[in-house]
Amino acid sequence: MSNVAAIRELLLAGHSNAGIARQLNVAHLRVAAIRAEMGLPVRKPGSPAAASPEDLFWRRAQPTDDGHLIWPNPSGDIRHVSGRTKAARVAFRIRYRREPVRNVLPDCGRDGCVHPDHVADQPMRKTYAAIFGKAA
């Protein structure tokens, strides 16, 4: 495959000019010229934008050795083009496919856990309390 064909293929795959230049050992300006010929916008630095808050959740939630997921931002916020929400609310939507009622909290005993199987909204906590005699 020629350098031009390889550059075109990598550009279409979403790689940056600098990354392509490094990988193929070609001039950065050559890659930029081919990008311009193809009418492709310059790729902005950083990781690609998340398609949804759920996609962003799976990218950033950090697994622990004991089966929990911890959100790296202490505020628990997920900031996405659609707005700002809490990671626990996104985890709840992933698991139950509905909007949570009021606050979503971990029900596994681990503070800050956002594992979709470990979160509960207020009606669920009230039900648990009625069954198991615990405070909601």
Side-chain angles (χ1 to χ4, degrees), residues 31-97:
V31 178
I34 293 172
R35 180 184 290 277
E37 286 172 15
M38 294 174 68
L40 296 174
V42 176
R43 182 179 173 272
K44 293 183 177 159
S47 58
S52 65
E54 291 79 9
D55 180 38
L56 192 56
F57 174 86
W58 289 117
R59 285 187 193 184
R60 296 209 179 138
Q62 299 173 347
T64 63
D65 292 337
D66 54 354
H68 299 278
L69 285 176
I70 302 299
W71 192 249
N73 179 348
S75 72
D77 286 345
I78 288 182
R79 291 184 193 101
H80 189 263
V81 292
S82 61
R84 180 188 296 197
T85 189
K86 296 289 183 186
R89 293 183 73 79
V90 174
F92 186 91
R93 287 195 306 259
I94 289 169
R95 172 68 174 90
Y96 297 102
R97 301 189 191 287

Side-chain angles (χ1 to χ4, degrees), residues 74-133:
S75 72
D77 286 345
I78 288 182
R79 291 184 193 101
H80 189 263
V81 292
S82 61
R84 180 188 296 197
T85 189
K86 296 289 183 186
R89 293 183 73 79
V90 174
F92 186 91
R93 287 195 306 259
I94 289 169
R95 172 68 174 90
Y96 297 102
R97 301 189 191 287
R98 69 172 174 86
E99 286 297 317
V101 177
R102 302 190 94 195
N103 291 339
V104 176
L105 300 172
D107 66 352
C108 60
R110 172 95 184 243
D111 287 340
C113 181
V114 293
H115 194 293
D117 292 339
H118 299 181
V119 294
D121 66 353
Q122 186 181 29
M124 293 169 72
R125 290 192 306 276
K126 280 188 175 186
T127 302
Y128 296 159
I131 295 170
F132 300 110

